Amino acid sequence: MLGILVNEAMIQFDVVADDWIDAVRKSAKPLLEAGKITEGYIQAIIDSAIEAGPYFVIAPHVALPHARPEMGVKENAIGITTLKNPVEFGNASNDPVKYVFTLSAVDNSKHLDALATLAELLDDEAFFNVLDTASKPHEVIDYINKLRKD
Amino acid sequence: MYNALVCCRAGMGSSMLLKIKVDQVIKEKGYPIKTEHGNLDSLVGFKGDLVITMDDLTAELSGKVPYALGIRNIVNKEEINEKLEEFLKTKE
């Protein structure tokens, strides 16, 4: 379930980022502070994107920065960040990025349900409306929880 | 039945999301395709019929796998469906 992977402390709105690297760093910060990932994990995301291109920009305006678990994942978590000014990540199909979901996954099997929920949310216009208009993180949590019950 | 490997660079996260979406389309349409999930290492010795991945990887894969299918927008089921149809046409 997604609810157990996201908490209020890991949701932030209208973050100002200079470029995509800054956006990745600032989006991952709450996960770092909560002890979900290491500093090395953030660097691994940035390094692999520099080397391989922005492979984690997976839908229009949506980035899902992540790296291999052994690069520094401690606990499963998903961070949700909206950017004040959309940022170019270098992905022609899906730039500019406004929504950043930082993913910290220990393994695949355990967070499959959460990913299924995330897959649903990424296809849900109302969810992005909530992200655009919410002023408090709990509004996002409430929306996700409501979705799970319906 | 055709075997597909769904993978991305990290083998976590985006490819798992992609597998969820691809499986939804396959189920809705009743396509004879079975998917498994992996990372780039899974390509070594891959014996299946096609590889489904994010669009940025397909250029690297062409020539190395029987069929490479690249998705631009992971949540766009129409795009996924069109590309699966294209693959199935090559098998007719």
Side-chain angles (χ1 to χ4, degrees), chain A residues 26 111 120 132 136:
Chain A
K26 284 176 176 162
H111 70 293
E120 245 174 79
D132 285 337
K136 297 262 164 37

Side-chain angles (χ1 to χ4, degrees), chain A residues 52 55 57-60 64 66-69 93-94 103 105-108 111-112 115-116 118-120 122-123, chain B residues 8-17 20-21 24 37 39-41 54-56 60 71-77:
Chain A
Y55 57 90
V57 184
I58 56 161
L64 197 90
H66 62 287
R68 291 186 183 229
S93 328
N94 296 324
L103 192 66
V106 177
D107 63 47
N108 271 318
H111 70 293
L112 194 56
L115 280 177
L118 185 60
E120 245 174 79
L122 293 179
D123 202 11
Chain B
C8 73
R9 290 184 191 278
M12 288 282 149
S14 43
S15 52
M16 210 58 223
L17 279 179
I20 290 167
K21 284 289 166 189
Q24 283 172 3
H37 173 261
N39 58 30
L40 285 182
D41 300 336
M54 293 305 287
D55 195 49
D56 66 311
E60 278 175 45
I71 301 295
R72 285 203 176 87
N73 174 356
I74 217 167
V75 297
N76 187 342
K77 284 193 191 176

Side-chain angles (χ1 to χ4, degrees), chain B residues 62-80:
Chain B
S62 71
K64 292 179 193 161
V65 297
Y67 192 99
L69 190 162
I71 301 295
R72 285 203 176 87
N73 174 356
I74 217 167
V75 297
N76 187 342
K77 284 193 191 176
E78 273 165 44
E79 184 193 351
I80 294 171

